[in-house]
Amino acid sequence: MPKKPLEGLRVADFSWYGAGPIAGNTLSQFGAEVIRVESETRPDGLRRVHPFAMNPDGTFKTGYNVSGYFNNFNTGKLSIQLNLNVPKGQEVAYRLIEKCDVFLTNFTPRVIDKWNLRYEQISAVNPRIIAAYAPMQGLTGPHRDFLGFGAVLTPVTGISHMSGFPHRPPIGVGTNYPDYVINPGHTVTAILAALRYRNRTGKGQLIELPQIESVVNALGTAVLEYLVNGDNPTRMGNRSLNASPHGAFRCADDPESVGSVDRWVVIACRDDREWAAAAAALGHPEAAADPRFATFEARKANEDELEALIASWVRDRKAEDVAAALQAAGVPAGVVQNAQDLLERDEHMRARGYYQYVEHPEAGREAHDGPAFRLSATPGSVPGPAPLLGEHTMEVCERIIGLSMDEVADLLAEGVLV
């Protein structure tokens, strides 16, 4: 197998929940040795949430090692249990950081201060360290110690204000979107940039990635519209200022769809040509010449009628057939897919082999997200199952930190490696 591009890189992952561990997961998929620093005194919350692996009798497995949520975002990492609330635990942390290239955390500055893991402290131990801090609102400022996750960042950054229908309350995006995409992507980019700088100069550096500032990058033109026009963009449902029709339309129910039989197709026509092609593909070419819909301006003025018309055309048709007909006609369209579709029924995802399966010692066979990008010469992959809590404590202490077995035994007895 070809060598992965980050082989030889060692990461001390002092993060938890989503944004930090997901960044570390990307580094792990491309060859880095990532060491999760955890503690049973306060385990990562993702170890305790659904979905849990199931027993043969249909009951859920229990314990810290069977959460699909945690396992998906921590593939191939090592796990050491370490009590950072005591001085000896912090001393062990310094010895680990001394042997690493990257330090990663998304805890608030208050916790970092408590654990004595500020940049000036860890860089004194390892001047070449690249230290990535990704607290929700940054290392400084009046809100630096505010708590939150993706579900908090979505409204705080304005995304929820623009999500939903204008006559209803904000609904957000239904998931901790910033944790999965924006924040870890920016964190990995920053780490790679800092590595390039270190390769040239030999010097490490501090990376400060306030998650709030990372996420407002995704607002598009909203802030610009307010700055230039004084307008405050708000919820538009599925509609767009630049396309019509632009929406989700209910198709025939699918009794084989697990959990909910309703099926939907999304359609976006950006100009008159696409609208004419869509009307023809759906069996109603005459609609393109209807004065109510013949131009973009007319369609926007009569959008309620337009959407009702399209809904009548597709309600008895299979969503997959509608999407295929529109795509064949050059019209942007797609099925509103669920997890079952993505994992089992989407022929494209299956052909590309995006989901990768691993055997976990407690959870069993699991499907994991594969790498988000592919390198032709040095591809990444899911390196193995997620670690059991503290699974590699002895290995990390001896092989990486360089502690003797007697030292490890003393630390265990003193409650440091817990």
Side-chain angles (χ1 to χ4, degrees):
M1 293 182 64
K3 185 176 180 180
K4 291 185 176 182
L6 297 181
E7 285 186 21
L9 186 75
R10 182 175 289 153
V11 180
D13 185 352
F14 284 73
S15 63
W16 70 336
Y17 279 95
I22 294 172
N25 197 52
T26 298
L27 301 175
S28 176
Q29 289 179 339
F30 285 89
E33 182 179 49
V34 181
I35 303 154
R36 275 298 305 268
V37 179
E38 305 184 81
S39 176
E40 195 168 5
T41 60
R42 192 176 184 186
D44 188 330
L46 291 193
R47 284 191 176 273
R48 298 177 289 180
V49 297
H50 284 275
F52 295 128
M54 300 188 74
N55 294 305
D57 63 1
T59 59
F60 289 114
K61 293 183 178 181
T62 59
Y64 290 136
N65 303 313
V66 294
S67 168
Y69 210 158
F70 177 91
N71 290 349
N72 185 43
F73 296 138
N74 290 278
T75 57
K77 298 181 183 181
L78 307 179
S79 172
I80 175 177
Q81 287 183 228
L82 184 61
N83 183 359
L84 292 167
N85 294 317
V86 298
K88 283 193 175 181
Q90 295 169 15
E91 291 173 14
V92 174
Y94 288 153
R95 293 186 65 173
L96 173 62
I97 292 167
E98 186 180 11
K99 300 298 177 66
C100 290
D101 301 284
V102 176
F103 168 87
L104 173 63
T105 185
N106 59 341
F107 280 95
T108 63
R110 179 185 60 80
V111 175
I112 295 302
D113 290 346
K114 176 184 176 183
W115 288 342
N116 291 308
L117 293 174
R118 295 186 301 275
Y119 176 67
E120 62 269 22
Q121 294 169 305
I122 66 173
S123 62
V125 174
N126 181 356
R128 287 173 51 84
I129 195 73
I130 292 164
Y133 295 84
M136 192 176 87
Q137 302 221 26
L139 296 176
T140 61
H143 298 170
R144 64 167 228 152
D145 290 320
F146 277 22
L147 303 174
F149 304 95
V152 175
L153 278 168
T154 305
V156 168
T157 56
I159 294 175
S160 294
H161 179 72
M162 295 188 292
S163 301
F165 290 87
H167 58 289
R168 296 178 183 173
I171 61 171
V173 294
T175 180
N176 295 321
Y177 169 62
D179 285 349
Y180 307 133
V181 182
I182 307 170
N183 292 326
H186 285 160
T187 302
V188 170
T189 302
I191 289 171
L192 295 178
L195 282 169
R196 187 172 187 274
Y197 174 79
R198 193 181 72 177
N199 288 341
R200 294 191 352 252
T201 67
K203 299 177 181 178
Q205 64 178 299
L206 163 69
I207 296 169
E208 182 190 8
L209 193 137
Q211 293 183 34
I212 188 171
E213 295 174 11
S214 172
V215 177
V216 295
N217 278 266
L219 280 181
T221 61
V223 174
L224 184 62
E225 286 186 45
Y226 180 75
L227 176 67
V228 175
N229 303 320
D231 293 334
N232 224 353
T234 188
R235 297 174 291 288
M236 299 176 59
N238 293 314
R239 293 179 178 176
S240 168
L241 295 174
N242 305 307
S244 183
H246 188 282
F249 302 91
R250 188 164 184 173
C251 298
D253 289 351
D254 180 0
E256 296 182 1
S257 180
V258 175
S260 180
V261 299
D262 59 306
R263 303 293 284 174
W264 302 75
V265 66
V266 293
I267 304 171
C269 296
R270 298 162 293 183
D271 53 38
D272 296 343
R273 184 199 64 78
E274 288 182 349
W275 162 238
L282 296 176
H284 297 273
E286 72 285 352
D290 187 317
R292 296 172 299 168
F293 313 128
T295 66
F296 175 77
E297 292 76 13
R299 290 193 296 280
K300 291 301 290 183
N302 297 282
E303 211 150 23
D304 288 342
E305 294 174 79
L306 176 65
E307 291 174 353
L309 183 64
I310 296 172
S312 70
W313 294 348
V314 304
R315 70 175 136 224
D316 296 323
R317 299 180 61 174
K318 189 175 179 181
E320 288 79 4
D321 294 342
V322 174
L326 291 168
Q327 283 286 348
V331 179
V335 176
V336 178
Q337 298 203 121
N338 55 34
Q340 178 190 12
D341 296 322
L342 292 169
L343 194 60
E344 298 178 353
R345 307 205 293 185
D346 187 316
E347 62 180 1
H348 179 76
M349 296 291 282
R350 184 169 57 250
R352 290 185 57 80
Y354 170 72
Y355 292 106
Q356 299 181 13
Y357 289 82
V358 299
E359 286 290 336
H360 188 275
E362 291 191 18
R365 188 170 183 261
E366 295 182 311
H368 288 307
D369 287 302
F373 53 91
R374 303 188 181 197
L375 303 180
S376 61
T378 54
S381 64
V382 174
L388 308 179
L389 178 61
E391 178 181 357
H392 306 96
T393 298
M394 294 294 292
E395 178 188 349
V396 172
C397 286
E398 294 180 23
R399 177 175 65 85
I400 297 176
I401 300 177
L403 298 174
S404 69
M405 293 187 65
D406 287 343
E407 289 176 308
V408 173
D410 289 342
L411 292 171
L412 284 167
E414 294 170 21
V416 175
L417 300 177
V418 295

